[in-house]
Amino acid sequence: MKKLLILFALPLFLACDTETVEVNSQVGEGLIGNNQNKLYAGSMDYADITLDVLQAYADGDFDFIMEKMADSVSFFPDKGGELISLVNPFNDFLVSMQESYDSITRTPYNVTSVSSGLDDSYTIISVPFTETRYAKDGSVERDRVFERFIFNSDGKIARVNKWSSELN
């Protein structure tokens, strides 16, 4: 009897079709101003672009960076100061940030992507990394850096916020 039951049950299990449904679950919440909304896992394509932009900055490939930037970009520097509004192209601004260095290396730890999940919304990419700057005078500077890149609905970077601390 058991063999007969197994014989009839086995085709039923084999006939079952497994369907995978991808659900974008909430991963956070906006807490400030008009941005008080749910945040969901964002596009990893933007995360990959951000990692490429990080490396392009270290390599001095500012033309590549300009391709990924919006027409106007807000930059919040790490060492205090005011929000800086930049108009693309702003290669000269990036060159001035690197002029005292021979080379820069950046080692990202991870990258995360969140979005409001709404059409025509933004995506926030966060990347912590170590940055080592080799100055022309022979000194070496090392920082822990956290940068947040905000992509607009056109898929371009519209804002960069930077925080850093010295690394011994």
Side-chain angles (χ1 to χ4, degrees):
M1 182 71 166
K2 287 183 184 179
K3 291 182 183 179
L4 191 56
L5 185 58
I6 291 172
L7 186 62
F8 285 115
L10 187 61
L12 287 175
F13 286 116
L14 295 176
C16 291
D17 189 20
T18 317
E19 186 175 325
T20 303
V21 177
E22 189 172 315
V23 178
N24 198 1
S25 47
Q26 184 177 349
V27 297
E29 185 175 359
L31 301 175
I32 296 177
N34 295 331
N35 294 327
Q36 294 182 3
N37 53 14
K38 295 179 180 179
L39 295 174
Y40 299 92
S43 168
M44 288 309 293
D45 291 339
Y46 291 149
D48 291 338
I49 290 169
T50 301
L51 292 173
D52 291 343
V53 166
L54 278 179
Q55 187 59 48
Y57 179 80
D59 295 342
D61 187 356
F62 304 133
D63 290 334
F64 175 81
I65 294 171
M66 292 306 107
E67 290 173 20
K68 305 304 177 189
M69 296 291 163
D71 292 338
S72 65
V73 177
S74 298
F75 174 66
F76 206 105
D78 57 334
K79 306 283 187 197
E82 299 290 322
L83 183 70
I84 300 168
S85 295
L86 302 164
V87 177
N88 195 345
F90 48 89
N91 299 47
D92 293 344
F93 174 76
L94 298 176
V95 168
S96 72
M97 291 175 61
Q98 286 194 4
E99 65 189 358
S100 60
Y101 302 106
D102 280 330
S103 64
I104 296 174
T105 60
R106 289 178 155 187
T107 307
Y109 304 134
N110 58 60
V111 60
T112 59
S113 176
V114 296
S115 172
S116 67
L118 303 172
D119 290 340
D120 296 331
S121 68
Y122 56 88
T123 299
I124 302 169
I125 307 298
S126 300
V127 186
F129 58 94
T130 300
E131 181 175 79
T132 305
R133 295 178 302 277
Y134 301 92
K136 292 180 180 175
D137 68 5
S139 63
V140 177
E141 301 169 6
R142 294 187 66 207
D143 285 345
R144 278 189 202 100
V145 181
F146 180 85
E147 286 189 346
R148 179 165 281 163
F149 294 79
I150 301 174
F151 283 75
N152 64 20
S153 60
D154 295 326
K156 299 288 187 175
I157 298 168
R159 183 174 176 134
V160 179
N161 295 347
K162 183 176 183 177
W163 297 268
S164 70
S165 66
E166 288 183 20
L167 182 63
N168 295 328

